[in-house]
Amino acid sequence: QVSASGFSLPSFGIGKRKRPKGAGPGRWVTDRSLGGREVFVEDIYSGRGARGNPLADTLQYADNSRSEKMANQAADEEKQKARQEKLVTEAVPPSWWRYPQPGYCPENQKADLLQNARRVLAKLSSKRIAGTSYSEYDLADLRDACALAGASVADRVKPKSATTGLFKAGVSFAVDAAARRSQTGVIGDPQTFLSGLAGDVGVTPGKAGRLVQAAVAAKLRADLLQAAAQKRSGDEGDAMLTLDGAIGVLQTFPFGEDAPELEMIAGGLKSRINDGERRWLANTFKDIGGGETCGTVNEALGL
């Protein structure tokens, strides 16, 4: 059979001729213009380049380079998207957040007041280097100095880990104040204090919420264990006082929805508090005014 282009299909002899070395998929055909000589014609639509074919190798390299570039571009876009989403998440304040009322700072005093806030921070840095713990008064002084200057000292907190250390110290004082139901102590209102301190030292609202929730979880676990031990020894009055402190903390710094910390607390208490003690704690917590926080305690008790 002869084609219009002058090629004809080869006759089928015994055995199958091998394709030339370095050739890709194709077939042998008879070329009449060459006196009936059989030549091998590659199939350009096979999707596989010829082995050893410089042109095919070049095209394959170009395709791979283009694919790699597109993949890298897509990966960069995903990273950028993740960074943007994280920024948005970190900017969302927890439910307890209270923005401090902005104070008035005369322009001609701003520089001096800012310098004073930096001096207070320097004292705290010296304490950290010396291994001395911060006091409530230390952090209250920093908060007051920044509030008077209407400025943050976050850019002066070095190293970066010191930022978390300062804020966690403030969280500890705020949780203790909440347990005492105190809003007139050294740090004032615990919610407002922590909201302001976060801005002073450069902690995002999202991170502030996570640090507070972790501290509240640790406090709740300790309170439930202590109240159970007091009940076990017959000191039910002291157990009620312990639970009352837990109410103050949970009302001031409530957990978010589906908080994983509560499930972890329940798992840890399972072998430490028996069923009867758990029911007594839950009922007592409700009877002394647990209110909306009862569900949180029930979940922490595994009830």
Side-chain angles (χ1 to χ4, degrees):
Q1 182 179 355
V2 180
S3 67
S5 62
F7 289 98
S8 64
L9 295 174
S11 56
F12 294 95
I14 299 175
K16 183 178 179 181
R17 295 187 65 179
K18 294 182 179 180
R19 60 190 177 191
K21 185 177 180 180
R27 57 182 177 169
W28 290 94
V29 298
T30 302
D31 189 345
R32 291 174 57 198
S33 65
L34 297 177
R37 180 182 173 185
E38 288 190 341
V39 296
F40 186 81
V41 179
E42 293 186 32
D43 183 0
I44 62 174
Y45 300 107
S46 66
R48 296 173 56 189
R51 292 175 296 179
N53 186 325
L55 178 59
D57 291 341
T58 301
L59 290 173
Q60 184 177 16
Y61 174 78
D63 288 341
N64 288 341
S65 298
R66 186 160 55 250
S67 298
E68 184 178 356
K69 183 178 180 181
M70 292 176 65
N72 290 337
Q73 183 178 355
D76 290 341
E77 291 175 354
E78 284 296 321
K79 289 179 182 179
Q80 180 65 20
K81 181 180 178 182
R83 282 194 292 266
Q84 291 297 330
E85 289 177 350
K86 183 177 180 179
L87 287 174
V88 172
T89 301
E90 289 298 294
V92 176
S95 61
W96 52 262
W97 195 266
R98 285 188 182 178
Y99 289 100
Q101 292 292 331
Y104 172 69
C105 177
E107 194 63 33
N108 61 348
Q109 298 180 24
K110 191 173 184 66
D112 290 339
L113 291 174
L114 178 58
Q115 191 62 32
N116 179 61
R118 290 172 175 172
R119 278 195 293 267
V120 174
L121 176 64
K123 292 179 181 178
L124 296 183
S125 298
S126 297
K127 277 197 166 186
R128 178 184 58 79
I129 294 172
T132 305
S133 299
Y134 306 126
S135 70
E136 278 186 283
Y137 292 97
D138 292 331
L139 297 181
D141 287 345
L142 179 63
R143 174 83 275 273
D144 291 342
C146 289
L148 285 173
S152 166
V153 292
D155 61 326
R156 296 300 182 98
V157 182
K158 306 292 182 184
K160 205 63 181 175
S161 59
T163 297
T164 302
L166 280 167
F167 188 76
K168 288 177 73 173
V171 170
S172 178
F173 297 135
V175 169
D176 288 344
R180 300 192 304 268
R181 313 288 184 97
S182 172
Q183 295 187 341
T184 58
V186 175
I187 64 171
D189 175 63
Q191 296 172 329
T192 306
F193 170 73
L194 286 184
S195 301
L197 183 64
D200 296 338
V201 300
V203 174
T204 63
K207 183 176 182 179
R210 292 191 298 274
L211 291 174
V212 168
Q213 189 157 295
V216 171
K219 174 68 172 171
L220 177 59
R221 180 182 182 278
D223 284 347
L224 291 175
L225 283 172
Q226 182 176 349
Q230 290 166 332
K231 166 69 169 65
R232 209 173 291 137
S233 61
D235 298 326
E236 294 189 0
D238 289 340
M240 290 181 184
L241 290 176
T242 300
L243 294 178
D244 183 69
I247 293 174
V249 173
L250 293 176
Q251 288 178 341
T252 306
F253 301 113
F255 280 95
E257 293 184 11
D258 302 322
E261 290 89 349
L262 295 177
E263 185 176 348
M264 294 175 64
I265 294 173
L269 295 181
K270 194 171 184 180
S271 61
R272 308 283 299 275
I273 303 176
N274 62 42
D275 292 343
E277 290 169 343
R278 282 201 295 272
R279 287 193 295 271
W280 183 87
L281 289 171
N283 291 334
T284 303
F285 193 86
K286 180 180 179 180
D287 292 342
I288 64 175
E292 295 180 354
T293 64
C294 287
T296 298
V297 169
N298 287 342
E299 190 173 348
L301 289 170
L303 297 176

